[in-house]
Each structure stands twice: as C-alpha cells, then as structure tokens.
Amino acid sequence: MTTPSTSADLDSLTFEQLLDELESVTRQIESREIGIEAATDLYEQAGLLHAAATQRLARVEDRIRSIDDAQSKR
C-alpha cells in the first residue's frame, strides 16, 4: 500500500489501516536500507500516522463513553 500523504488520505483509512501503515513505515526506517532523507520523510509520515490513529482512538473512546452514559441513564 502506498503511504498516505494528506489528511484526507489519512481520514479515509480505518484505525487498523493506520496501524498497518505505521508498522510498515517503522519497518522501512528500521531496515536501514534507505538514505537519511528518505528516513526523515518516513519519520515525518510516521508522526502523521500516529497522530491520526491517536485522534481516531480518542473519538472511539468518546463514543463508547457516550453510549455507556446513555445506557446508564435508562
């Protein structure tokens, strides 16, 4: 899979896809088979993927809390 490069690309991915992409980027960096510039670009991409996954997880947690609150009021 091609690494997403825009927030719209990231928004179109599921949480699981974000994690898969992050793992792929991490493997590429750890392979040491790329130059320093490419590694830096991948490191930046990893940060974007991590932030997107963290935000997605926070939204899911908020949704679960909301559902739990609504059910506890019944």
Side-chain angles (χ1 to χ4, degrees):
M1 180 184 297
T2 303
T3 304
S5 58
T6 67
S7 62
D9 292 338
L10 295 175
D11 288 344
S12 69
L13 299 178
T14 65
F15 178 77
E16 293 78 12
Q17 289 170 322
L18 289 167
L19 291 183
D20 288 344
E21 287 292 334
L22 185 55
E23 289 174 1
S24 174
V25 168
T26 301
R27 279 192 301 275
Q28 290 177 55
I29 293 169
E30 290 175 343
S31 75
R32 299 182 183 187
E33 295 176 3
I34 57 175
I36 191 72
E37 291 85 6
T40 303
D41 291 343
L42 287 171
Y43 184 78
E44 181 178 21
Q45 187 64 34
L48 295 172
L49 288 162
H50 180 266
T54 300
Q55 290 172 353
R56 186 78 51 85
L57 186 58
R59 285 195 304 253
V60 169
E61 289 172 339
D62 288 345
R63 185 172 174 207
I64 290 170
R65 279 190 208 98
S66 177
I67 292 168
D68 285 346
D69 290 347
Q71 289 179 351
S72 68
K73 292 179 181 178
R74 290 183 184 173

